[in-house]
Amino acid sequence: MNEVDTARSSTPSVRRNEARYDDAALTPPVDVVEDATGITLYADLPGVSKDKLHLQVESDTLTIEAESALNVPEGLQSSHTEVGLARFHRVFTLSKELDTEKVTAELNHGVLTLRIPKLARAQPRRVEVKVA
């Protein structure tokens, strides 16, 4: 049974699905910011490189999966490791107002930035008033 709740957003544009995942997978913290033209998600993925990041949008579901490898510098030996190979997994249910065909993603210094614009019909527009 899944519990669905609203992510940090004033409208229900993104809902987080809490499901059972492998115990080895970490849930990365994600901030969701909504504006008039869409949403931006900021996910903390420390130690993740572009080739170990997998993003998928299927229907109204966004899945973030990643692996990090914190390498020990040559000539050094780790005496204690709390995080070695970390796996990240997060799933979001997206609003029908979002244009999943136009998702953009950028990974910079361990922070994934995903931008998902709203469909043109869901964006605010100014209505011109004519004088009769």
Side-chain angles (χ1 to χ4, degrees):
M1 184 167 147
N2 288 343
E3 175 187 339
V4 179
D5 61 307
T6 304
R8 295 176 231 163
S9 176
S10 60
T11 61
S13 293
V14 177
R15 291 178 295 164
R16 186 180 71 216
N17 291 339
E18 295 293 342
R20 301 182 110 216
Y21 302 122
D22 187 288
D23 289 337
L26 301 173
T27 302
V30 176
D31 291 329
V32 179
V33 178
E34 182 175 5
D35 60 30
T37 61
I39 63 169
T40 305
L41 290 87
Y42 300 96
D44 291 333
L45 300 170
V48 172
S49 62
K50 180 182 172 185
D51 61 320
K52 296 289 186 177
L53 174 63
H54 305 284
L55 303 173
Q56 182 175 334
V57 177
E58 185 176 337
S59 184
D60 63 348
T61 302
L62 166 67
T63 303
I64 301 171
E65 292 182 314
E67 287 185 14
S68 69
L70 303 175
N71 298 324
V72 176
E74 188 176 326
L76 297 179
Q77 182 179 356
S78 176
S79 61
H80 176 77
T81 303
E82 291 187 7
V83 178
L85 175 65
R87 288 190 15 198
F88 297 96
H89 184 91
R90 192 80 186 256
V91 178
F92 293 91
T93 300
L94 303 174
S95 167
K96 300 289 185 198
E97 294 179 345
L98 298 173
D99 190 349
T100 58
E101 297 293 321
K102 296 182 180 173
V103 177
T104 59
E106 180 180 319
L107 182 63
N108 191 19
H109 299 292
V111 178
L112 172 65
T113 303
L114 283 168
R115 178 70 184 162
I116 309 173
K118 288 183 181 178
L119 292 166
R121 64 178 163 75
Q123 293 186 25
R125 61 185 171 87
R126 185 180 177 114
V127 177
E128 185 179 331
V129 178
K130 296 180 182 178
V131 177

